[in-house]
Amino acid sequence: MPHGRIEIDTGRCKGCELCRSACHHDVIKLADYNNSNGYRPVIFLDPKHKCTGCALCAVVCPDGCITVYRELGVRAEQLDREVQHHVFTIA
C-alpha cells in the first residue's frame, strides 16, 4: 500500500475546506489559529500514516496550496521509526 504526505502552504490557504471533503482518510483538519491574511487554514494531521498520496485534496484546492508526496513501498512501521528517530534527534 502506498503511503503519502502533503504539505499545505498555510500562509496562502483560505480555509475553504474543499480538501477536507475530498480526503477519504480524514487527515486534513482546520487549524486552531488564523494565518497572516486572517483565514483559518487547514493542516495535515496523519499520526497513523493513513494518507496514500492520492492527490484528490490538491486537485480540488482552488488556490494550489497543497503539494503531495507519495512514497511507494514504504511500510507504516518504517515511517514510525523514521519519525521517532527524527523527533529523538532534534529533542
Side-chain angles (χ1 to χ4, degrees):
M1 171 76 98
H3 293 279
R5 65 180 173 86
I6 62 172
E7 288 182 4
I8 302 167
D9 185 346
T10 57
R12 291 181 32 228
C13 177
K14 294 179 182 169
C16 69
E17 299 187 70
L18 290 173
C19 56
R20 288 188 67 199
S21 57
C23 180
H24 298 291
H25 301 288
D26 196 31
V27 296
I28 303 173
K29 309 288 184 193
L30 276 176
D32 293 336
Y33 60 88
N34 291 344
N35 62 20
S36 61
N37 294 322
Y39 296 108
R40 189 171 169 197
V42 295
I43 55 174
F44 178 62
L45 291 176
D46 189 18
K48 296 187 179 186
H49 309 292
K50 293 180 180 180
C51 179
T52 61
C54 70
L56 289 175
C57 56
V59 170
V60 299
C61 180
D63 297 312
C65 299
I66 301 174
T67 303
V68 179
Y69 299 93
R70 191 171 202 191
E71 299 151 356
L72 301 176
V74 178
R75 296 187 324 183
E77 298 85 26
Q78 182 179 352
L79 288 174
D80 282 338
R81 283 192 304 273
E82 290 173 8
V83 168
Q84 289 172 359
H85 174 72
H86 180 71
V87 169
F88 179 74
T89 303
I90 58 176

